[in-house]
Amino acid sequence: MNLTTTQPLQVIQPDGGVNGYDPKLSEAELLHCYRAMLLVRAFDAICLKLQRSGRIGFSIPNEGIEATQVGAASALKKSDWIFPSYRDFGMALYHGVPALEMMHNMFGNAQDGAKGRQMPVHFSFVQPIHFVSISSPIGTHIPQAVGAAHAAKLRGEDTVFLASFGDGGTSSLGFHSGLNFAGVWKSPVVFLCQNNGWAISCPVEEQTASDGFAIKGEAYGIPGVVVDGNDLFAVRKVTLEAVVRARAGGGPTLIEAQTFRMGGHSTSDDPKRYVPPEQFEYWKKRDPLARFEKYLEAAGLLNAAKSEALRKEVEAEIAAAARAAEQVGPPGLETVFSDVYAEIPTHIRKQGEGLFDLGRRRGDAHAGDGKFPL
Amino acid sequence: MNLTTTQPLQVIQPDGGVNGYDPKLSEAELLHCYRAMLLVRAFDAICLKLQRSGRIGFSIPNEGIEATQVGAASALKKSDWIFPSYRDFGMALYHGVPALEMMHNMFGNAQDGAKGRQMPVHFSFVQPIHFVSISSPIGTHIPQAVGAAHAAKLRGEDTVFLASFGDGGTSSLGFHSGLNFAGVWKSPVVFLCQNNGWAISCPVEEQTASDGFAIKGEAYGIPGVVVDGNDLFAVRKVTLEAVVRARAGGGPTLIEAQTFRMGGHSTSDDPKRYVPPEQFEYWKKRDPLARFEKYLEAAGLLNAAKSEALRKEVEAEIAAAARAAEQVGPPGLETVFSDVYAEIPTHIRKQGEGLFDLGRRRGDAHAGDGKFPL
Amino acid sequence: MANLTLLQAINDGLRTAMKDDPSVLVFGEDVGKKGGVFLATENLQRDFGANRCFDTPLSEDGIVGCAIGMAMNGLRPVAEIQFQDFIFPAFDQIVSEAAKLRYRSGGQYTAPLVIRTPYGGGIRGGLYHSQSGEAYFCHTPGLKVVVPSTPHDAKGLLLAAIADPDPVLFLEPKALYRSVKGEVPEGNYKVPLSTLREARAGTQVTVFCYGAMVPVTLKAAEEAAASGIDTRVIDLRTLLPLDEEGVLEHAKSTGRVVVVHEAPRFCGFGAEISALIAEHAIEYMEAPVVRVTGFDTPFPNTLEHHYLPDHRRVLDALERVAHF
Amino acid sequence: MANLTLLQAINDGLRTAMKDDPSVLVFGEDVGKKGGVFLATENLQRDFGANRCFDTPLSEDGIVGCAIGMAMNGLRPVAEIQFQDFIFPAFDQIVSEAAKLRYRSGGQYTAPLVIRTPYGGGIRGGLYHSQSGEAYFCHTPGLKVVVPSTPHDAKGLLLAAIADPDPVLFLEPKALYRSVKGEVPEGNYKVPLSTLREARAGTQVTVFCYGAMVPVTLKAAEEAAASGIDTRVIDLRTLLPLDEEGVLEHAKSTGRVVVVHEAPRFCGFGAEISALIAEHAIEYMEAPVVRVTGFDTPFPNTLEHHYLPDHRRVLDALERVAHF
Ligand SMILES: Cc1ncc(C[n+]2csc(CCOP(=O)(O)OP(=O)(O)O)c2C)c(N)n1
Ligand SMILES: Cc1ncc(C[n+]2csc(CCOP(=O)(O)OP(=O)(O)O)c2C)c(N)n1
Ligand SMILES: [Mg+2]
Ligand SMILES: [Mg+2]
């Protein structure tokens, strides 16, 4: 079985034409995809502002890769699992994670599902889809996705598991072990490599000498597919094919989505230090949102007014979420000490009590005024 | 550049014929190869006996893979470096490491270059060729070989570095990082994957779903070549090509030598628990030594009498080495404490003095009777 | 009750867990047909099938990474690492992932898995088949670290570990695999984690030890008794979370303490015991707290019997502490 | 002499080593064009060329594995790990290989390399951009572990580390990168490894600390002075091999000791200091040996200022110990 491709699949032309391709999506579904892309862009822009004004500490730009995120996410059911990277906002938003929940995380506040323990963008959701707790170490989630998939497979479930990572992620240990195990176990996993050309400042040619990333599947007996990552339909199509095969017991697929991040690696990064300006120009012309808009317009589903209205609505939603999340205070001090284990062991409880006690003795407001509540 | 092959190269036919192939080796060189293979087999057999009679603790069977070891080693100059696995006796013996030095290691005695600190077969030599200290953790030496090669390359030297490992070794972290870095750096390294079908009891199909091992080079932009590992000329030929390319700045090659270990994984292992008997029969017919003998006979360089004489000579040499090594006592107690650092730090010195002191106070012979000599 | 070796007790524990809970899986390198290099998993594949007990590719990172995913998704994986020395490729998965998943997800995702691995010296394994790495893991909040020293505890602690909601590293003293035997109850019983075991009663000196150092210490204690030193031997059993209260009570009650382990001394587990005492019981101490440990060197081969703490070294420390 | 930040001092140290010794290479993720995420390697590629300072693929295992090979073959590699939290994929190469190569080869092969990495909290980095993993490495014979706390020492210790014949882990307190400034001599000078620095003279209590905890401790010591507690502050600088004699002398001379570090307490580096004292100086102690440390939890984000030991917690310990 050699399904590996080396030419990226493209469906939506730069002018929005699809050469008669039928996406098999209802108007509502198409507009849901569009809205998800708008949500990402708005979320991105507002987080950038929040960070620049010092109200949140950090964010990860997503501009330019919305089609990959939303196209891939759209191929999954709510019962499937996502093992995301830190640059997968759109997958959560597509599946209906409320922007407010995501904003709680950006502020690390008391209502954040992760209790303010993680840096911003390290989301964790179990609803409405499993969007597994993001970890900073690169690649560790890849074998985890395979293990979770193996569990489902052993129980005879038809759940599919999507593991998403970057071009840099392919050099990690987890990529090697995860794909190798998945190949042997024929696990129902879709490996989505978002090749955006850069791992922070490291260009792909310094990352690996392989002829692209899809071909790396060969090393594990896993078919590799290359797709235009700025083309929502193309990404959706290859992901759907991979998902269908995985669900039917056909094993894993490695997808390489070729895309580009229009921003820095993070809000701490200045890409102008290393990305040649031509690359920004090249990719600006291939903006995934503009391309999808052209399609929707050509299909008679969108016009300038409607698009403007939607954009405003979405921006208002995100802005409201940010305002609401900013109002919520920090997590309680006891959250430093809980969730290390299912039950808090004595030595940790004592450390917490010590901190509360010190706060009481010093009259320090931060340390809480009650007794250690755990 | 796609040099990857999937059909194993074969030169010596089972009947010893080579279809006119010219190995370009003098009679002396051919007999040196033959002698090296005999040395391996004798070393192997004697170590097995020593282990069974409790005189050494452990050995690693090499029977069946002598052609891979000797064929590959014969492609290297003395100024090249070998990063061996624990199953590469033949590479050391081919390059003239004295059997006695190897036996010192098997006994872990006072004359062992590694001062009796390692298990048997974990050799380390800097002469007559760099045969780098063997480590038990699988695959760690692979990126090390790449780093050593990069050093040579930066200095403009034309040294070549051979890293040898098993089929199981391809699943290790070091394989992934080592080949990836070598691909990017175009390092002068030859990666020799000795595919003997098994990683202890794990057959290749449970190790990886890839279509063989040479193809794994694709993931790193490294050409992969498959060769009949029981064919000394074929192994020598592909290794020499890889070495020549590496020396000329053409970068790394991944060689998959298909072979089989006729013994257990180690002297602690009983392969009958897991290897199907047909496999032993299949490979017995393809014995690399017998095949090379047939070639030499056909070429008029060997006959039964000469072969018998050589075998006896070699066995006597190894047996004498074993006897001599067995006479040497254990390393001095101070070797527990030296070589942790270039200079022994105070806390380690004190621990050594404490042990000597206890021995003195208890009248314990083992602990030495002098004062701590470091 | 059957009279079993520690190795048989572990096999029995795995069987019991697999029988009682269909979500328990056993996997690792060579654990299937071969039954593990020490035969701890012997016949589990035969008896429970290859879906419940299977071999993996040669990647500890993959073994633990996949185990975490399985555990997230409802299974109870029991992964074997062939030798503790080979756990380091999985260090990132253990320390960064298994140990931190519950915390970083606010309890939304958890990793109830067990990693079993033989540790310690005594088989002429040299640098890489002899190490005792417990301190590396004990410095990692979110993990539990368990070390049995008797067949009874081996089975009971293993069953408790498998049932535990948090990731447990289960270190098996390979030197004791076949050298100790003892009564092992049938069926599913649990020895609660984080509880100490008084392996020998005594009033004058307390020795804290675990794993393969327990019999060594008991032998030293017998010899010390002959010269009038009445030694209490505490088998710690669970190193993390440690029963710190229990440790301090024992330390206070004898006022003289020795700590024994095989691992190197510097920043070893023994340091934590000493530090607890120095912080919370120093005023009860009538003698220095003495550590008897492996040396601060890699593990040698030919001379391993000099590297490993033996009863003579423990006895020497007992005498120093008792007669201080 | 120039007045430099700690970060500039490190950049200066790297430059000096690269200028003086052509076998010194600097590499890691993003150290080239970008100059490192903290800019510690800024302009080194520009000034020494891409053969001397270069980026690598995203693999810490590869970075350290290749560094070992380079070191074996005559170079002096200085590898950067972007955050200490990301060093764990290289743990096997560091612990099994770099640390053990000299020993296992009887001195035939050695690995004189330096691994630089920013460690510690204070930048709102959460679980994975804040850790202090020194104890993991200090339990590894064959490694050296160095932690500077001033610009002067940062350069001088780095140059000593690069010249050292053994592998050195060089932990850079990222919280101090830009927050401390000081006089830094020009040219190549070395601060010898395994020597302590008295950061503050004092007679009543000794505090042992290192890295980013040094300024925190100094602040606490100033406040303590106001209430009549005369505190000596010892910056350990090299954690392994530790100047144990020096530590014990200081401990004995004040009879009262506090140990401060950011890392979790359990089996942390502080335990070794306490244990040394409990074993060799207990009879000099007039108070418990108290540790002020990070908590035994992963590193939180929003509440990191509660997790990190601050001068208030150190002061509290000083008072407890002084008035015991
Ligand atoms: C093990 C590890 N090493 C280093 C880092 C630091 N780091 C964070 S993101 C990143 C680059 C990732 O690039 P890529 O995988 O291409 O993803 P992208 O950011 O481009 O989406 C690096 C080096 C890390 N998080 N984990
Ligand atoms: C990291 C690591 N994990 C496990 C082991 C135990 N082990 C030693 S050899 C071996 C199998 C190696 O198989 P392969 O690479 O095919 O080499 P072969 O022995 O067949 O030559 C295993 C699992 C090890 N040495 N290192
Ligand atoms: Mg990228
Ligand atoms: Mg093999």
Side-chain angles (χ1 to χ4, degrees), chain A residues 13-271:
Chain A
Q13 304 306 308
D15 65 0
V18 293
N19 292 328
Y21 176 83
D22 178 2
K24 299 200 182 104
L25 286 170
S26 69
E27 177 177 343
E29 285 165 334
L30 287 165
L31 289 174
H32 183 74
C33 289
Y34 179 57
R35 195 170 190 281
M37 289 169 89
L38 289 178
L39 277 168
V40 181
R41 200 149 289 191
F43 202 97
D44 219 41
I46 288 179
C47 284
L48 187 65
K49 270 194 226 148
L50 291 170
Q51 194 275 339
R52 292 291 184 251
S53 60
R55 286 140 81 203
I56 63 174
F58 175 89
S59 188
I60 285 279
N62 284 253
E63 186 184 334
I65 55 170
E66 297 92 343
T68 297
Q69 300 175 347
V70 174
S74 78
L76 299 176
K77 297 190 196 172
K78 292 274 181 291
S79 51
D80 295 331
W81 289 43
I82 299 171
F83 282 77
S85 90
Y86 46 80
R87 209 185 296 280
D88 282 322
F89 290 42
M91 297 196 192
L93 289 164
Y94 174 90
H95 278 288
V97 173
L100 179 58
E101 278 199 43
M102 293 174 65
M103 277 296 174
H104 287 324
N105 165 282
M106 300 304 294
F107 283 93
N109 67 27
Q111 282 173 39
D112 171 25
K115 304 185 187 171
R117 293 178 182 135
Q118 290 245 61
M119 283 178 76
V121 317
H122 289 64
F123 306 112
S124 172
F125 307 112
V126 289
Q127 287 236 14
I129 192 167
H130 279 97
F131 188 88
V132 175
S133 169
I134 295 169
S135 175
S136 310
I138 296 286
T140 48
H141 61 308
I142 304 177
Q144 293 169 11
V146 177
H150 196 61
K153 185 178 164 157
L154 286 177
R155 284 194 298 259
E157 298 160 3
D158 72 351
T159 319
V160 172
F161 297 75
L162 179 95
S164 170
F165 47 86
D167 41 289
T170 63
S171 296
S172 70
L173 314 182
F175 176 84
H176 188 53
S177 62
L179 271 79
N180 195 36
F181 278 60
V184 174
W185 292 349
K186 298 225 166 307
S187 307
V189 185
V190 178
F191 298 107
L192 176 65
C193 174
Q194 303 196 22
N195 173 8
N196 60 14
W198 296 87
I200 310 185
S201 70
C202 183
V204 290
E205 61 275 16
E206 290 178 25
Q207 189 66 245
T208 185
S210 69
D211 185 11
F213 293 88
I215 202 172
K216 287 182 186 277
E218 296 271 341
Y220 313 104
I222 296 179
V225 185
V226 192
V227 66
D228 178 342
N230 287 16
D231 177 338
L232 188 134
F233 286 162
V235 174
R236 179 178 155 81
K237 182 173 187 300
V238 299
T239 312
L240 208 49
E241 281 166 9
V243 164
V244 166
R245 188 165 57 246
R247 226 185 276 295
T253 306
L254 171 61
I255 297 171
E256 173 189 347
Q258 297 178 339
T259 182
F260 188 73
R261 47 158 233 252
M262 297 299 295
H265 169 71
S266 73
T267 48
S268 322
D269 178 50
D270 175 11

Side-chain angles (χ1 to χ4, degrees), chain A residues 107-109 116-120 122 134-138 168-169 171-173 198-203 206-208 268-270 273-274 330-333 335-337 340 347-348 351-352 355 358-359 361-362 364 366-367, chain D residues 29-35 37 39 42-43 55-59 61 82 85-86 88-90 124-129 223 265-266 293-303 305-307 310 312-313 315-317 319:
Chain A
F107 283 93
N109 67 27
R117 293 178 182 135
Q118 290 245 61
M119 283 178 76
H122 289 64
I134 295 169
S135 175
S136 310
I138 296 286
S171 296
S172 70
L173 314 182
W198 296 87
I200 310 185
S201 70
C202 183
E206 290 178 25
Q207 189 66 245
T208 185
S268 322
D269 178 50
D270 175 11
R273 277 183 93 96
Y274 53 84
L333 196 53
T335 61
V336 173
F337 304 95
V340 185
H347 70 294
I348 299 182
Q351 292 176 5
L355 186 62
L358 181 64
R361 281 189 287 119
R362 301 268 170 193
D364 176 60
H366 287 304
Chain D
E29 293 155 16
D30 306 296
V31 302
K33 281 181 299 298
K34 188 173 161 79
V37 292
L39 303 183
E42 195 171 21
N43 290 335
D55 293 340
T56 65
L58 206 168
S59 165
D61 180 68
Q82 202 160 81
D85 312 68
F86 303 140
F88 300 125
R124 277 290 193 96
L127 285 89
Y128 299 111
H129 296 79
E223 294 202 9
R265 189 209 66 183
F266 200 82
T293 67
F295 302 118
D296 285 311
T297 73
F299 202 101
N301 190 53
T302 306
L303 301 179
H305 51 296
H306 289 291
Y307 181 91
D310 59 7
R312 299 173 326 113
R313 278 170 63 199
L315 181 60
D316 193 54
E319 287 170 354

Side-chain angles (χ1 to χ4, degrees), chain B residues 86-87 136 138 166-169 196 198-199 265, chain C residues 29 60 82 86:
Chain B
Y86 45 80
R87 209 185 295 281
S136 308
I138 296 286
D167 40 289
N196 61 14
W198 296 87
H265 169 71
Chain C
E29 293 156 14
E60 289 73 16
Q82 202 161 82
F86 304 140

Side-chain angles (χ1 to χ4, degrees), chain C residues 10-52:
Chain C
I10 286 166
N11 187 276
D12 188 18
L14 291 170
R15 270 175 194 286
T16 305
M18 292 175 89
K19 209 171 341 159
D20 291 359
D21 181 352
S23 69
V24 172
L25 297 192
V26 171
F27 54 92
E29 293 156 14
D30 305 297
V31 301
K33 283 182 297 298
K34 189 174 162 79
V37 293
F38 290 102
L39 302 182
T41 57
E42 194 171 22
N43 291 334
L44 295 181
Q45 184 173 82
R46 184 195 69 189
D47 298 342
F48 294 93
N51 274 350
R52 301 285 305 283

Side-chain angles (χ1 to χ4, degrees), chain B residues 236-268:
Chain B
R236 178 178 156 81
K237 182 173 186 302
V238 298
T239 312
L240 209 48
E241 282 165 10
V243 165
V244 166
R245 187 163 56 246
R247 225 184 278 294
T253 305
L254 171 61
I255 297 171
E256 173 190 349
Q258 298 179 339
T259 182
F260 188 73
R261 49 158 233 251
M262 297 299 294
H265 169 71
S266 73
T267 47
S268 321

Side-chain angles (χ1 to χ4, degrees), chain A residues 272-344:
Chain A
K272 294 198 201 89
R273 277 183 93 96
Y274 53 84
V275 178
E278 315 82 77
Q279 291 201 5
F280 287 109
E281 280 153 38
Y282 176 92
W283 286 97
K284 207 181 162 91
K285 295 193 202 110
R286 284 156 183 80
D287 179 61
L289 183 59
R291 210 146 129 203
F292 194 54
E293 275 172 350
K294 280 194 192 133
Y295 164 79
L296 290 174
E297 282 165 14
L301 300 176
L302 196 70
N303 56 37
K306 191 166 173 189
S307 141
E308 185 57 20
L310 251 177
R311 202 181 295 266
K312 284 237 166 88
E313 176 199 315
V314 155
E315 276 167 12
E317 179 181 334
I318 304 288
R323 275 194 306 277
E326 199 173 5
Q327 302 311 310
V328 180
L333 196 53
E334 72 281 2
T335 61
V336 173
F337 304 95
S338 56
D339 292 330
V340 185
Y341 300 94
E343 275 183 57
I344 187 161

